[in-house]
Amino acid sequence: VNAIGSRRGIDFHTLISTGNQSVLDAADWLAAVAIRDGVRSIALFLEEDGDGARLAEALALCAERGVGVAVLKVGESRRGVEAAVAHTGAVAGDQRAFRALVEEAGAAWVSDLHELLEVARVLAEPRARPARRGGLAVLTCSGGDSGIAADLAEEKGIDLPRLGDETGRRLAELLPDTATPGNPLDYTSLIWGESELLASIVEAVGSDSAIEQLLLLYDHPAGLRPEHEDEWRAVRTGLADGAARCEAAALIASTLPDLVDDAAARELAARGIPAVAGLATALTCVRAMRRPAGDPARLRAIAGAAAVARASSNGAGGDWLGEAAAKQLLREGGLPVPEGIELDPRDQTGCVAAAKQLGWPVALKLSGPAVRHKSDIGALALDIAGEAELLHARDRLTALPEADVARLLVERMADQGLELLVSARADAVVPVVTVGLGGVWTEALRDVAVIPLPTDAAQVAEGIRSLRGADLLSGGRGGEPFDIDAVADLTARLGALLLERGLLLIELNPVVVHRHGCVAVDAVARGL
């Protein structure tokens, strides 16, 4: 209701409040609205995950029909989750998995209600979507605004390419002597109100082969005197005329959210140019328009995996597997694990024989369904190089209370490398795999890529290269890269194993990746 009353120049088709969703949930409404005539984008505000299979199906329908989707979901913070529970009893779920599904669908993930409405407004305009490969150009009459735009664009990962030489020569002919061709372009306020000159400048930039999007900054203060209205209209007309003369998709945006005029926004919308309230929000819209459309077939495969997981789950989770049993599953699935031998903790002779058979150095661990955080309780010993050291470690481990319900696992030590966390789980909104920096960095950095299942190695590799810590894997400054392809293959196989065996969770932490190959040195698993 508040949105309908806002002065944004937005034409709303339908507004739905889903209540407690005891009969129909947001996914049902998303599918129903997406097929109605006249709907070009949908804004979703959600407090819980809902049925992931139905949501993925609805997003597939939106992708098929070219309906843009913007999503704002509660639950990014602990307090946000608590607020959702307090309000509706909703289970906010794993926000990273939910976001992965949204982005897989080509939908836009936003952070507040203002962004939700502005992004939905832009997604509703098909002429605002870039049609060719290239970057963004920002045009403004303010040097300060151009600097802010450049900083925000870099922060949001939006490329502002250099303009070509021919464009530079053309702009030199058009711009005042005090202006310098560049991107962002400050054409200065000296030509304010000169419609044709502004149109020619916009056309020149938008025709550059490196540019596929235009962000044209235009502020319209409230309460303009009548004698100033014509001047502001001339600027607005010049910017829109220039955008119409080139192939680049255009947005017009104010620098501050309240400097958008409702009548002016509707005038621009009639020409296929959305008017966005606020520079930072406009760049969020730019990024949303650059997202590739979702693949309906893949989204339906994700929906199928989610439906199977939901049907198989009893809600509480099944039995845990010990490390040895979990690694046997991995071997059967073709995943690399260290060679190991499991034995009775009381078997001192067998322990020594196993180590000699595997070859020094070895690792010694307790393995059992109740032993899931070995480093926390001291239930492992690494880099054991001889018999005396092995027996000492065995005596220490078998003295732990957990040894009464565990077995000993002797393993060949893996070579040193970079440690990653790789996991697959079926209890999120849809089944997903997660890969990121592991070991001591897992909780400290929380730098992970989350990919809905089913997936393949190519998709996983793309996710790995999107990590903030990807430079560590690629070798950094001139170093030899680690084997990303091997990790991607392991991760995809792990996801397939989760689905094939009907498991709730498989977590490998760490997976040690080398310059060539990788190996899962620790594993836990749980059935549905």
Side-chain angles (χ1 to χ4, degrees), residues 230-320:
D230 288 344
E231 193 176 345
W232 256 257
R233 185 178 297 107
V235 173
R236 190 166 67 247
T237 299
L239 296 175
D241 285 349
R245 296 177 191 173
C246 59
E247 294 183 7
L251 305 178
I252 286 183
S254 61
T255 53
L256 296 175
D258 57 348
L259 291 175
V260 169
D261 177 74
D262 186 70
R266 291 184 181 278
E267 173 191 308
L268 292 164
R271 302 190 63 175
I273 304 176
V276 182
L279 172 55
T281 302
L283 287 166
T284 298
C285 293
V286 165
R287 187 173 58 186
M289 297 303 285
R290 298 173 72 86
R291 290 197 61 80
D295 177 356
R298 169 149 170 72
L299 289 166
R300 290 199 165 96
I302 293 169
V308 171
R310 189 181 185 94
S312 302
S313 175
N314 61 13
D319 294 335
W320 288 93

Side-chain angles (χ1 to χ4, degrees), residues 5 16 71 79 97 110 113 180 185 246 260 297 338 383 386 418:
I16 297 165
V71 179
R79 292 296 186 188
V110 301
L113 286 167
T180 302
L185 175 63
C246 59
V260 169
D383 283 314
L418 186 64

Side-chain angles (χ1 to χ4, degrees), residues 38 57 118 138 147 180-182 199 207 221 247-248 338 376 385 421 424 437 460 466 499:
E57 283 281 0
E118 295 301 292
V138 179
T180 302
S207 299
E247 294 183 7
D376 292 349
L421 162 73
L437 295 178
V460 176
S466 73
L499 298 179

